[in-house]
Amino acid sequence: MSGRLKGAVMEQEYYTRAVKLSLKFITASKRRRLMAIYHAYVKAVNSYLRLLQEKGSKVKTNDLGGNNLTGRYRGVALWQAKNIWKTTKASAKTQKKKARVRGFRGTALFSENVVVHGPRQMKGGFDYAFEFTSLRKVKGKSRRKLERIVVLTKKTKVLNKWLSIPGARIRPGCGLNPRYLIVYVEIPKPAPKEVGKEIGLDCNFAALLVDSEGRFYGERFKEIMAKVLRRQQGSKGSRRARIERDHYINYVVKRLPWQHLKAVAIEDLRNIKKGKRPRQTRKFRRALSVWAVRNVRQAITLKAQENGVRLVVVAAEWTSCTCPKCGQTDKASRKDREFKCSRCGHTQHADVVGAVNISRKAFLTAGSLVSPVEESHSFSLPLETQVALQTQLTPDQVLSGGG
């Protein structure tokens, strides 16, 4: 064995899952103190966002005045603000608009600020204890040590599921918002499969997913989309319909035969909603606005990680207009859901044609082997990278509070 390999130790890679835990077990007094920390943190993030807009990236922790958060809280608040600002600028650049700061109201990320005890059986049937550092006094010169706010909570079925996997562990720290705690579970990443099928997946309106072997998944998706479109935007009914849509997406993605798959190919549809195209009607654009392509892509990515399935991303151009038999590319070959080649006359369902071409692009040509959401990491990653991974896990809660 060479000297280089002798001392080498392979680091275990992990993927991360976020789990909600209830705050209903804490007393009213503790809830007030905990929410005081949360609101002070949110105020700090918004203050840092305004400073970043004015000064650029040259903002320091001490630039925040009149806040009673400890240094560690302020440090993480600044990092989260920088991450939000970076995402906002990137989005504005893509849309060719001026970057504007949105008011942060999402999940506060606490890492070393919070000590997690558990799982173990505690008095009262509790399983976990979270110790938060209290706010420091702004007025007066008291040298009294900061108090610890202890929040007790219980395990859930979802948390038990992840912790039952050998080698799974809870990451130090947590996320906090007014309704619940978020605990992050690190799970050993399975080795990529060497045996199994390679399929392409086409994402659609009528049936949510169609694979390259001609199977349709999620045929109720069109009905659920119509329900979302009927509801008035911003109403309770609209929120319920969107939640139903998201749950249905997860349900459909779980139905894929993951145990028999080695690799899955999908289209890169990230910019499909941007801009207007001559052939797109107003009705089509309205339906496209609630399609939730990002949710489908993220659900597929997470399931691929859990099952050791390689995810391949390919360009979406011409996948539904190219004949899988003779290779002719012609927009006239596709009419609605039907495909008939203008050269050889080959006939097939248009969505199946798209899935077959996605599969061929990925596995017969050079497809991108980079997963759209990379969450695996090792023991040696710094705290800032770990917080970044947390923001990817819950982008709507962490970055924009569900906006």
Side-chain angles (χ1 to χ4, degrees):
M1 184 181 292
S2 67
R4 180 178 298 178
L5 294 176
K6 188 175 181 179
V9 178
M10 293 294 292
E11 290 183 333
Q12 174 66 60
E13 290 189 334
Y14 288 80
Y15 63 88
T16 309
R17 292 295 175 266
V19 181
K20 297 177 183 178
L21 295 179
S22 176
L23 287 173
K24 67 181 180 181
F25 304 110
I26 63 175
T27 63
S29 174
K30 281 187 179 179
R31 180 179 288 275
R32 283 194 299 269
R33 292 160 67 195
L34 200 60
M35 289 303 102
I37 296 173
Y38 172 77
H39 292 302
Y41 183 93
V42 169
K43 183 179 178 181
V45 172
N46 285 316
S47 298
Y48 282 133
L49 281 171
R50 286 190 291 270
L51 290 171
L52 286 167
Q53 190 173 23
E54 296 169 3
K55 299 182 179 180
S57 60
K58 296 179 180 180
V59 178
K60 298 180 180 179
T61 307
N62 295 332
D63 291 343
L64 184 67
N67 193 290
N68 54 352
L69 289 172
T70 64
R72 283 184 176 178
Y73 283 135
R74 283 183 280 130
V76 179
L78 175 58
W79 190 92
Q80 193 167 356
K82 284 183 176 181
N83 196 49
I84 296 169
W85 180 235
K86 181 180 178 181
T87 306
T88 302
K89 288 197 298 183
S91 177
K93 184 177 179 181
T94 303
Q95 300 178 29
K96 298 180 180 180
K97 296 180 180 179
K98 184 178 179 181
R100 293 183 178 180
V101 175
R102 297 178 61 186
F104 170 77
R105 62 185 188 280
T107 299
L109 297 178
F110 301 134
S111 51
E112 296 177 359
N113 317 69
V114 178
V115 180
V116 183
H117 300 284
R120 66 172 184 265
Q121 192 65 35
M122 303 177 186
K123 188 177 179 181
F126 296 104
D127 303 293
Y128 289 94
F130 294 82
E131 286 190 27
F132 291 80
T133 305
S134 63
L135 299 175
R136 60 185 174 84
K137 288 189 174 183
V138 176
K139 297 180 181 180
K141 298 182 179 181
S142 173
R143 294 183 178 273
R144 187 177 58 181
K145 290 180 67 175
L146 294 171
E147 296 178 356
R148 308 291 287 182
I149 303 171
V150 180
V151 176
L152 300 176
T153 189
K154 298 181 180 181
K155 289 190 291 188
T156 63
K157 289 183 180 179
V158 176
L159 184 57
N160 288 339
K161 167 193 165 185
W162 294 122
L163 290 178
S164 66
I165 299 173
R169 63 187 188 185
I170 292 181
R171 177 189 296 173
C174 68
L176 173 68
N177 72 31
R179 292 175 294 171
Y180 46 76
L181 287 169
I182 299 176
V183 65
Y184 295 94
V185 183
E186 295 178 330
I187 304 153
K189 189 177 180 182
K193 290 182 182 176
E194 299 296 333
V195 179
K197 294 181 180 180
E198 297 176 335
I199 65 169
L201 289 175
D202 189 48
C203 189
N204 298 282
F205 285 112
L208 179 62
L209 294 171
V210 180
D211 70 20
S212 50
E213 296 181 347
R215 287 185 290 265
F216 290 73
Y217 303 89
E219 296 181 359
R220 284 190 57 240
F221 190 62
K222 186 175 182 180
E223 173 190 334
I224 293 172
M225 289 271 286
K227 187 184 294 185
V228 175
L229 287 170
R230 286 197 302 269
R231 302 295 187 264
Q232 184 177 351
Q233 190 172 3
S235 67
K236 289 182 179 180
S238 176
R239 286 194 290 273
R240 285 195 295 267
R242 288 172 186 267
I243 290 171
E244 182 183 358
R245 175 199 64 187
D246 296 343
H247 287 177
Y248 189 70
I249 288 171
N250 291 331
Y251 166 75
V252 171
V253 171
K254 286 179 182 178
R255 284 184 57 216
L256 293 172
W258 293 104
Q259 66 274 22
H260 303 301
L261 299 180
K262 178 177 72 172
V264 170
I266 60 174
E267 296 174 287
D268 187 358
L269 298 173
R270 284 176 296 181
N271 296 318
I272 193 170
K273 295 184 181 181
K274 293 181 173 64
K276 293 183 180 180
R277 296 170 178 82
R279 296 181 64 185
Q280 288 183 355
T281 63
R282 183 174 174 224
K283 182 179 179 181
F284 178 82
R285 289 197 301 271
R286 186 165 176 261
L288 194 64
S289 67
V290 296
W291 191 16
V293 176
R294 179 181 178 181
N295 298 25
V296 178
R297 181 169 172 166
Q298 188 181 40
I300 293 172
T301 303
L302 298 182
K303 292 302 292 184
Q305 278 188 341
E306 294 167 17
N307 290 277
V309 175
R310 185 180 57 169
L311 184 62
V312 187
V313 184
V314 300
E317 287 78 15
W318 307 108
T319 53
S320 61
C321 301
T322 301
C323 178
K325 189 172 182 180
C326 69
Q328 166 76 359
T329 299
D330 185 3
K331 289 182 179 180
S333 297
R334 174 170 181 170
K335 292 184 179 179
D336 196 23
R337 299 285 118 187
E338 294 298 321
F339 179 92
K340 184 176 182 179
C341 180
S342 58
R343 177 195 284 177
C344 70
H346 174 72
T347 304
Q348 201 169 11
H349 194 287
D351 296 334
V352 177
V353 169
V356 169
N357 287 324
I358 291 167
S359 178
R360 289 182 177 179
K361 267 190 178 186
F363 305 122
L364 300 181
T365 59
S368 167
L369 301 184
V370 180
S371 174
V373 180
E374 184 57 55
E375 296 170 339
S376 61
H377 60 286
S378 65
F379 291 124
S380 60
L381 286 184
L383 171 63
E384 291 187 353
T385 306
Q386 294 184 21
V387 177
L389 295 172
Q390 293 177 2
T391 61
Q392 290 176 345
L393 284 168
T394 54
D396 55 335
Q397 297 167 341
V398 176
L399 297 183
S400 61

